[in-house]
Amino acid sequence: MKFNATRPRMRTTALLAAVVLPALMAASAVSAKTLVYCSEGSPENFYPGINTTGTSFDVTEQIYDNLVNFERGGTKVVPALAEKWSISKDGLEYTFNLRKGVKWQSSKNFTPSRDFNADDVLFMFERQWKENDPYFKVTSSNHSYFGDMGMPALLKSVDKVDEYTVKVVLNNPEAPFLANLAMQFAGVQSKEYAIAMLKAGTPEKIDQDPIGTGPFQLVQYQKDAIIRFKAFSQYWAGKAKIDDLIFAITPDASVRWAKLQKGECHVMPYPNPADLDTMRKDANVTVLEQPGLNIGYLAYNTTKKPFDDVRVRKAINMAMDKKAIVSAVYLSTGVAATNPIPPGQWSYNKAIKDDAFNPAEAKKLLAAAGYPNGFTTDLWAMPVQRPYNPNAKRIAELMQADLAKVGVKAEIKSFEWGEYRKRMQAGEHQMGMLGWTGDNGDPDNFLNTLLGCASAKSNGSNVAKFCYKPFDDLVLKAKQVTNPAERTKLYEKAQVIFKEQAPWFTIAHAVQIAPVRKEVVDYKLSPFAKHTFYGVDMK
């Protein structure tokens, strides 16, 4: 399917949301505080353990809690469902003391009979870990994050000490383990709800009609149109300041901006860079911005010809004018990327030089690799805006034009967002655009999750299918080292190998930007590009 085949659907979606949204808002109580977020797409599902996109995490973020969280607007790990924890001296045993009195939400299918307890934590782990768990394959057996981060090999045991204590034993020390548990894949679901739905013969209901312990409860979902939440009155940390939270699904950035101007939505993600000057002049809008912990890239499928040859990958890197692409598409909102981690990430290797734009040298390399007349390939472009890529279609067109000059004919392809991600993970592409926003502030989350061998073999987030032992050995060793200086040296060496092997054309690191209406109080940008509405108020 060609990329532009998705465009008419976007207009239909925007129209549907425009009709549904005012009706819902009018139906709300006059005194209720309602915040409308103009989201960029529909979630893949409501189970965080099998998702990898921010579009889906923005939804599950509202519903579920984790053992630990990141502080709002920061990277510090703070207590959540675990009120405290202890770690053994050898770094192998983690004991979590769980919060008591935490209530579960309810749904039309299920009313809980008990509070959150250790059984629910075990269910979160075992559903993703144990293949004999009855929920392992429900919705999907591809637990991307759990596998990408090597959790199956890392975990030795997860045991219930008592109703409110859980002990996790690792096979080896893991520096980012605690921060990893604050990531979305570790959102805790109700074991009691799971058992009830299994008995009813409808296990998939726990992922379709989610209940969590989080600050907001799902009320309604209409695909490509609207998601409506209400504040959970019994939330353990106190009821949210806003009563109703609405996601108006609006894929087109121009339509999102038009809605924000009219007050039809209050917060919007991923603005068009060309609209920023106008936004900054609008008296009713505040434009929040900070450096993004992200990377946008073009991945070469290193298991498919001709991209199994490093000379071809290097040649394509040199054939494309990165500075021109970033200048044309990101405008002032991005910087050209050299490494697979952003400059603000600790252990970033400043000594590495980027591949030069050199079409003549690219042609020589292609000839040496056996392609003197170039070749034909596909070039996949995402159908949605992401924090790391404001316009994949336009970037693909610029790449296509550059590649034609060295004899490479690239056909641009795209699919619906959930399908696009699934097919990329399955390795159907030859070249494909994706990107990443960090989830835990650790280099491991980029270098191992996106480029490690375990992630390449598991249909995980390593869409380049890049598995190179010298690189993998370095990042695996770095996970087990606790000394930051030693970890930094290992990661710096890994970045050198990455640049030599060229599994990606690194495109850009984008500035994170969110236009917010002035009546919104205390909305904070997250370093991980999450959109969190607990703690936010409305004037």
Side-chain angles (χ1 to χ4, degrees):
M1 178 168 65
K2 292 281 196 293
F3 186 94
N4 59 13
T6 64
R7 303 307 288 181
R9 185 179 177 190
M10 289 185 174
R11 288 195 291 273
T12 305
T13 298
L15 181 62
L16 183 58
V19 172
V20 174
L21 183 59
L24 276 172
M25 290 178 71
S28 298
V30 174
S31 60
K33 289 181 179 180
T34 300
L35 186 146
V36 182
Y37 170 62
C38 275
S39 68
E40 77 283 5
S42 295
E44 297 152 280
N45 54 69
F46 294 95
Y47 172 39
I50 57 173
N51 297 330
T52 62
T53 68
T55 309
S56 297
F57 288 156
D58 282 343
V59 175
T60 55
E61 164 87 7
Q62 319 308 324
I63 300 168
Y64 298 108
D65 278 318
N66 293 43
L67 284 170
V68 293
N69 272 339
F70 295 111
E71 65 179 351
R72 196 162 67 96
T75 61
K76 181 184 176 184
V77 175
V78 296
L81 293 177
E83 59 184 359
K84 60 182 179 179
W85 55 87
S86 59
I87 306 169
S88 62
K89 286 184 178 180
D90 61 8
L92 295 178
E93 292 185 8
Y94 288 71
T95 303
F96 295 96
N97 302 103
L98 307 182
R99 197 177 295 276
K100 296 176 182 175
V102 175
K103 305 300 180 187
W104 285 102
Q105 301 161 6
S106 59
S107 73
K108 62 182 183 290
N109 297 306
F110 176 74
T111 301
S113 69
R114 63 162 177 83
D115 292 349
F116 155 81
N117 67 24
D119 292 332
D120 305 310
V121 177
L122 264 63
F123 177 58
M124 178 274 288
F125 280 108
E126 291 178 355
R127 177 177 183 184
Q128 304 181 69
W129 181 26
K130 303 285 180 71
E131 292 191 25
N132 62 351
D133 187 284
Y135 271 87
F136 183 80
K137 292 183 179 178
V138 172
T139 306
S140 172
S141 61
N142 185 14
H143 304 283
S144 298
Y145 264 92
F146 198 81
D148 290 354
M149 295 186 301
M151 283 284 184
L154 176 66
L155 295 174
K156 184 175 184 179
S157 63
V158 179
D159 294 310
K160 173 183 174 180
V161 177
D162 58 43
E163 286 292 292
Y164 292 99
T165 312
V166 171
K167 179 185 274 191
V168 179
V169 181
L170 308 182
N171 283 310
N172 46 262
E174 173 93 346
F177 179 69
L178 196 64
N180 287 347
L181 292 183
M183 289 160 55
Q184 283 279 291
F185 80 92
V188 179
Q189 293 180 303
S190 164
K191 178 68 180 283
E192 186 188 20
Y193 184 25
I195 291 170
M197 293 303 99
L198 199 61
K199 284 181 180 174
T202 55
E204 69 283 350
K205 287 282 186 189
I206 75 164
D207 299 335
Q208 294 172 352
D209 300 316
I211 68 166
T213 59
F216 294 97
Q217 184 166 355
L218 181 70
V219 175
Q220 179 194 11
Y221 172 49
Q222 191 168 350
K223 186 175 169 61
D224 295 339
I226 198 163
I227 310 170
R228 190 177 186 198
F229 306 89
K230 67 178 179 183
F232 180 38
S233 61
Q234 294 178 289
Y235 185 50
W236 60 266
K239 180 181 171 293
K241 295 172 183 176
I242 52 177
D243 302 291
D244 296 293
L245 174 63
I246 294 171
F247 280 30
I249 299 168
T250 315
D252 191 300
S254 299
V255 177
R256 291 199 293 274
W257 170 225
K259 286 183 177 182
L260 195 80
Q261 285 175 295
K262 294 173 188 172
E264 291 177 12
C265 68
H266 304 104
V267 180
M268 68 166 277
Y270 321 132
N272 281 329
D275 291 334
L276 284 172
D277 284 345
T278 306
M279 291 175 176
R280 290 184 178 115
K281 292 172 185 172
D282 192 311
N284 298 312
V285 173
T286 301
V287 179
L288 303 177
E289 53 189 294
Q290 67 182 25
L293 194 68
N294 60 46
I295 173 75
Y297 58 85
L298 176 74
Y300 305 122
N301 189 333
T302 59
T303 64
K304 284 187 175 179
K305 288 188 177 299
F307 298 106
D308 57 344
D309 189 325
V310 68
R311 294 171 296 182
V312 172
R313 302 195 296 267
K314 277 288 192 182
I316 300 303
N317 275 5
M318 290 192 288
M320 297 185 288
D321 189 345
K322 185 182 299 185
K323 287 182 180 176
I325 290 170
V326 174
S327 176
V329 179
Y330 291 79
L331 304 180
S332 62
T333 68
V335 294
T338 298
N339 292 335
I341 61 175
Q345 174 74 72
W346 64 267
S347 82
Y348 181 85
N349 192 333
K350 296 177 183 176
I352 293 174
K353 303 290 184 227
D354 205 4
D355 295 310
F357 172 52
N358 191 333
E361 189 61 30
K363 281 186 175 182
K364 287 180 187 175
L365 263 182
L366 287 175
Y371 300 96
N373 301 314
F375 55 87
T376 300
T377 182
D378 59 34
L379 171 54
W380 290 30
M382 298 176 303
V384 295
Q385 281 183 295
R386 300 302 307 133
Y388 45 75
N389 191 327
N391 191 337
K393 183 193 174 190
R394 179 65 183 134
I395 290 176
E397 290 168 346
L398 292 168
M399 288 178 169
Q400 184 185 49
D402 282 345
L403 293 174
K405 292 171 186 173
V406 297
V408 175
K409 185 179 179 184
E411 181 189 1
I412 299 171
K413 293 183 177 181
S414 194
F415 304 89
E416 179 272 329
W417 183 218
E419 187 72 10
Y420 182 94
R421 185 184 69 83
K422 187 168 74 176
R423 287 177 179 238
M424 283 278 284
Q425 286 184 315
E428 293 183 22
H429 60 294
Q430 284 177 285
M431 299 195 299
M433 264 184 266
L434 259 184
W436 193 257
T437 299
D439 294 294
N440 64 2
D442 197 285
D444 176 77
N445 186 237
F446 287 85
L447 298 173
N448 183 45
T449 305
L450 302 182
L451 293 156
C453 288
S455 177
K457 294 169 183 173
S458 64
N459 276 10
S461 299
N462 183 346
V463 293
K465 305 300 174 189
F466 176 67
C467 180
Y468 188 64
K469 194 172 185 301
F471 177 91
D472 206 52
D473 287 347
L474 287 167
V475 296
L476 291 180
K477 185 178 179 183
K479 282 164 73 83
Q480 298 183 32
V481 173
T482 53
N483 183 296
E486 194 177 337
R487 291 188 79 203
T488 293
K489 286 178 183 175
L490 293 167
Y491 287 135
E492 285 177 345
K493 288 177 183 175
Q495 289 165 74
V496 171
I497 293 174
F498 166 87
K499 209 63 191 174
E500 290 169 352
Q501 291 297 312
W504 298 349
F505 174 75
T506 50
I507 303 171
H509 308 290
V511 176
Q512 190 186 167
I513 297 172
V516 177
R517 287 192 62 84
K518 291 281 176 73
E519 54 265 38
V520 176
V521 178
D522 203 26
Y523 177 79
K524 292 182 184 292
L525 287 178
S526 158
F528 313 120
K530 298 193 297 183
H531 298 93
T532 303
F533 296 100
Y534 183 72
V536 178
D537 204 350
M538 298 284 288
K539 285 181 186 173

